[in-house]
Amino acid sequence: LAPGAAMLRGFAREDDAALLQAIETVAAQAPFRHLVTPGGYTMSVGMSNCGKLGWVSDRSGYRYDPLDPLSGQPWPAMPACFADLARRAAAQAGYEGFRPDACLINRYEPGARLSLHQDRDEKDLSAPIVSVSLGLPAVFLFGTDRRSNKPQRYRLAHGDVVVWGGSARLAYHGVAPLADGEHPLLRRRRINLTFRRAG
Ligand code: MD3
Ligand code: FE
């Protein structure tokens, strides 16, 4: 993919049923919601979080927050199967001892997209990010550290895990509008888990 990044095709496939069950448990406490950007747009991706910190956006900006603004309560704990998968994937990619304190759960329905952005709200940018794709395949856009460079396109399918560290960590990236389809486990959805060391 790029220096510092590793694609682990199908790494999460054998855990899919346990992961989906855990996602449902988290979403029962912290439902998916469509956040508003500082610019006033409502995101097409539905989001929830688990772990010590959750990523949120509103008219005042982006931030990591220990409380779910919908409930005023802490985010649900990170399920053991999540933390374990993230740690094993990071180690496989050469990042030993990855202990994420934040997991953002993105839910895509047909047409949902994520425009080109950088992830730079985390305190320690030397820690990698681990992303896990489940359900319908997506076209992932992966650029460079300059927005003006044309991104490359990669297909991310059910069970694929990508570890982003090193110089890939500050690359612009996004997701093209999700094409409709039917997945045996997730039906007409794609779910992406991103594990981060945010605090
Ligand atoms: C490359 N999520 O939540 S995961 C995000 O599929 C986000 O939901 C996308 O971008 C999704 O911020 C893409 C792959 C990913 C995540 C973080 C990265 C790629 C990255 C950070 C730096 C570089
Ligand atoms: Fe991102």
Side-chain angles (χ1 to χ4, degrees), residues 81-192:
C81 64
F82 278 28
D84 186 60
L85 175 69
R87 184 188 48 75
R88 285 187 290 114
Q92 175 99 229
Y95 300 97
E96 292 289 342
F98 179 56
R99 287 185 306 111
D101 58 10
C103 174
L104 172 63
I105 309 175
N106 291 333
R107 183 196 62 196
Y108 295 76
E109 287 173 329
R113 62 190 289 269
L114 198 58
S115 56
L116 223 53
H117 66 278
Q118 286 176 304
D119 289 18
R120 51 186 316 158
D121 300 329
E122 299 74 28
K123 198 171 279 168
D124 176 10
L125 292 173
S126 73
I129 291 179
V130 174
S131 86
V132 178
S133 292
L134 296 169
L136 290 178
V139 174
F140 176 69
L141 310 169
F142 183 62
T144 68
D145 60 351
R146 296 217 225 169
R147 191 194 289 276
S148 55
N149 288 345
K150 185 182 155 75
Q152 291 185 238
R153 298 163 75 90
Y154 295 94
R155 185 173 187 273
L156 289 181
H158 181 70
D160 289 346
V161 176
V162 193
V163 181
W164 311 89
S167 55
R169 181 65 182 74
L170 285 175
Y172 278 91
H173 59 278
V175 178
L178 190 76
D180 203 353
E182 178 76 23
H183 185 274
L185 200 58
L186 281 101
R187 315 294 303 266
R188 299 176 67 206
R189 289 176 294 169
R190 168 179 190 256
I191 289 183
N192 184 268

